[in-house]
Amino acid sequence: MKKFDYLLNNKSIILIAYLVYALPVQAGFWNDDLHIHGFITQGFFHTSDNNLYGQSDDGISPGQTELGLNLSYQALDQLTFSAQGLYRRVGDLDRGSVKLDYAVADLHLFNSENSSMGFRGGRIKIPFGLFNETRDVAVTTPSIILHQGIYFDRSRRLLLSADGGSFYATHHSGWGDLSLKFNIGLPLGDHQEIQKVILGALGEGHFNADPALAAQLNYEINDGEYTFAVSYMD
């Protein structure tokens, strides 16, 4: 899959090209209940004036590389384990690092053709906005760069995932799909990263993480053509 986007900002033209490859693999030769998937994203950037993710001014910068590998294992009828590792390189924001993106145990309390309910525990994704939980998988987002007024790349780790638990419920019907998520956990934000964003590079002091709440109510109609989401964080 290829994506192309044109942006006009402060009389600067930005041309961004994405090459996205999803690599699904069903590991049936190990166990029918074990599945492995992955994705690779490589971005190329060209700008007329300002640099974006590297030296893109009047040139082309391959300044963004993302690689994810995830697996899931159906241990019991009502219990699933899943995890994903993520490598990310994005200009000076992240010069290349490997992180544990999520690692959860999912206990299905109720599951029918139209409804489900359960608990997740471990390193869980934070249900913020429409795309935060899948923001690193380019094929799931509507644009190449997400709206920075909501999805802050400079402090993305603060909103990306947390260590804790989550209750979820979904219901599918003829009038739409309704889902609810309620999370409580300890955010995993890089404290030095947050300090630089809020206080500046020379700012003094430090930040400590406290348990936080996050909730989301999501409603989709017409097979996802229209989606409405309300998110709450504290």
Side-chain angles (χ1 to χ4, degrees):
M1 177 177 182
K2 299 180 181 179
K3 287 188 177 182
F4 298 90
D5 200 7
Y6 296 87
L7 301 178
L8 183 60
N9 184 21
N10 294 329
K11 297 183 180 180
S12 299
I13 298 175
I14 305 174
L15 172 61
I16 310 170
Y18 260 10
L19 302 179
V20 183
Y21 297 91
L23 308 173
V25 178
Q26 181 172 336
F29 54 90
W30 288 330
N31 190 304
D32 289 340
D33 296 323
L34 178 65
H35 301 271
I36 300 177
H37 300 82
F39 64 88
I40 301 173
T41 301
Q42 178 61 56
F44 300 88
F45 302 86
H46 170 73
T47 58
S48 60
D49 290 294
N50 301 313
N51 288 320
L52 180 67
Y53 293 159
Q55 189 65 39
S56 63
D57 185 6
D58 294 328
I60 296 178
S61 169
Q64 182 177 15
T65 304
E66 292 174 324
L67 187 151
L69 182 65
N70 60 73
L71 61 88
S72 65
Y73 176 63
Q74 188 78 37
L76 301 170
D77 289 340
Q78 294 179 297
L79 181 62
T80 303
F81 296 98
S82 59
Q84 176 170 284
L86 180 69
Y87 169 82
R88 188 170 188 262
R89 180 184 64 87
V90 187
D92 290 333
L93 295 176
D94 193 334
R95 294 181 178 273
S97 60
V98 177
K99 303 289 184 182
L100 179 62
D101 193 30
Y102 64 82
V104 300
D106 190 338
L107 178 62
H108 313 292
L109 300 178
F110 175 78
N111 194 9
S112 69
E113 182 178 355
N114 296 319
S115 302
S116 64
M117 181 185 303
F119 286 99
R120 296 187 180 105
R123 178 157 299 178
I124 53 178
K125 305 289 284 189
I126 297 176
F128 177 71
L130 294 175
F131 309 107
N132 191 63
E133 295 173 277
T134 58
R135 64 188 296 173
D136 295 314
V137 186
V139 295
T140 67
T141 58
S143 59
I144 291 174
I145 297 179
L146 291 176
H147 196 292
Q148 291 302 295
I150 301 175
Y151 308 94
F152 305 102
D153 279 342
R154 293 186 63 188
S155 55
R156 68 192 298 275
R157 294 179 187 174
L158 182 64
L159 299 176
L160 200 60
S161 56
D163 286 341
S166 173
F167 168 79
Y168 66 89
T170 62
H171 180 69
H172 307 283
S173 69
W175 45 263
D177 299 334
L178 187 67
S179 64
L180 170 68
K181 297 176 184 176
F182 182 84
N183 289 24
I184 181 170
L186 193 67
L188 302 177
D190 186 324
H191 296 167
Q192 293 183 350
E193 177 185 88
I194 304 304
Q195 177 179 328
K196 290 180 180 178
V197 172
I198 298 177
L199 302 178
L202 302 178
E204 297 182 357
H206 64 278
F207 292 89
N208 294 319
D210 292 327
L213 301 176
Q216 183 184 74
L217 181 63
N218 189 82
Y219 173 58
E220 293 185 3
I221 57 177
N222 297 334
D223 296 327
E225 183 177 355
Y226 300 99
T227 304
F228 305 91
V230 177
S231 300
Y232 168 81
M233 298 188 65
D234 187 9

